[in-house]
Amino acid sequence: MEKFRFNPPTKLDENSGVIGLDTYLKSLEKHYFADVSLRSYHKNTGAIEMTIDMKCNLNLLELLSFHNKARWGNNGTDISPLKRSFDVLIQKNTLQIDIEELTIFLNDTCIIIKKIYNQSISEQLNTILSEVANHYVYFSKGLTEKPYEIFIPVFEDSLTENGLDGKILSPQEKAPKNYFEFWGVYLESEEDALIYNLDRTTYISADLELCMID
């Protein structure tokens, strides 16, 4: 647990103009059985980008099992509670609001999800968790190692060209197209993060510049 990056929560200031944030966070707590807090936020050209933390008293395999059985993060519809509650928050506000980063802190690992396009986290969370479950046997090296941090996604411009088979990428190609190309995974046996290629279901030879994920 000491490796997880816990940060104290913050509050949107009185001049932020955001309406209904506390109700939104409490809704997430209800559906995800978690302590949910706003870690930080910043304003960018009139928009507010939020970083949200969920702290769940579950292990990763427990969470994945409960999610697959619709016993965690479920509101009886195909739309995740994160998305449904976020849509309500947007309707209450005239400011543009989005989630820049969502971190799910568990008893044995944490999952860090970064925004790749507007509302990408709220729209894709269910699919991301399903893919974590689908790939767990591969990035855990046949269930022999437990990851203690998973970064989703890893941006391609943070990989050395060895990890991309020497391909030279244009700036447009470097931008992540989806969440299901490369992830960064920390294992207890490795000092540095490994790059997991979802298409190949294996780790690839590449260096991860963590500053690209911050």
Side-chain angles (χ1 to χ4, degrees), residues 102-117:
L102 172 67
T103 300
I104 303 175
F105 291 100
L106 303 170
N107 292 333
D108 57 354
T109 190
C110 66
I111 304 172
I112 302 166
I113 305 171
K114 298 288 290 188
K115 170 182 175 178
I116 58 175
Y117 58 83

Side-chain angles (χ1 to χ4, degrees), residues 3-186:
K3 295 173 182 175
F4 297 170
R5 301 179 301 173
F6 288 102
N7 293 279
T10 187
K11 291 287 185 181
L12 287 171
D13 58 72
E14 295 179 354
N15 297 320
S16 67
V18 176
I19 301 170
L21 179 64
D22 286 342
T23 301
Y24 172 63
L25 297 179
K26 289 178 181 177
S27 175
L28 298 184
E29 290 185 335
K30 173 184 176 182
H31 290 290
Y32 291 97
F33 305 100
D35 292 327
V36 181
S37 61
L38 177 72
R39 187 199 314 164
S40 63
Y41 75 97
H42 68 270
K43 293 183 178 180
N44 182 20
T45 61
I48 291 181
E49 301 278 352
M50 303 184 296
T51 299
I52 293 177
D53 289 344
M54 289 185 184
K55 298 179 183 178
C56 304
N57 187 26
L58 294 170
N59 294 332
L60 177 57
L61 286 179
E62 290 176 325
L63 180 144
L64 297 177
S65 175
F66 291 153
H67 178 261
N68 287 340
K69 296 176 182 177
R71 295 172 58 190
W72 182 92
N74 184 272
N75 56 7
T77 72
D78 292 333
I79 301 174
S80 73
L82 187 72
K83 170 63 175 173
R84 179 63 61 85
S85 298
F86 191 71
D87 288 345
V88 173
L89 183 67
I90 290 176
Q91 292 173 4
K92 292 180 179 179
N93 290 273
T94 57
L95 287 172
Q96 181 178 337
I97 306 169
D98 208 352
I99 303 171
E100 183 177 34
E101 178 180 308
L102 172 67
T103 300
I104 303 175
F105 291 100
L106 303 170
N107 292 333
D108 57 354
T109 190
C110 66
I111 304 172
I112 302 166
I113 305 171
K114 298 288 290 188
K115 170 182 175 178
I116 58 175
Y117 58 83
N118 288 337
Q119 300 185 35
S120 63
I121 295 177
S122 59
E123 289 179 358
Q124 297 275 349
L125 179 60
N126 276 357
T127 306
I128 289 170
L129 293 174
S130 293
E131 287 303 297
V132 171
N134 291 338
H135 286 265
Y136 183 84
V137 68
Y138 302 108
F139 63 69
S140 66
K141 296 185 176 181
L143 307 180
T144 63
E145 295 195 55
K146 290 183 179 181
Y148 65 84
E149 287 188 5
I150 305 171
F151 294 91
I152 303 175
V154 170
F155 293 78
E156 288 185 352
D157 58 358
S158 67
L159 304 180
T160 65
E161 62 181 22
N162 287 337
L164 295 172
D165 299 326
K167 180 181 178 181
I168 304 300
L169 300 176
S170 68
Q172 292 77 16
E173 291 176 311
K174 291 179 180 180
K177 300 177 179 61
N178 60 65
Y179 283 110
F180 313 112
E181 296 176 342
F182 303 103
W183 295 349
V185 180
Y186 272 102

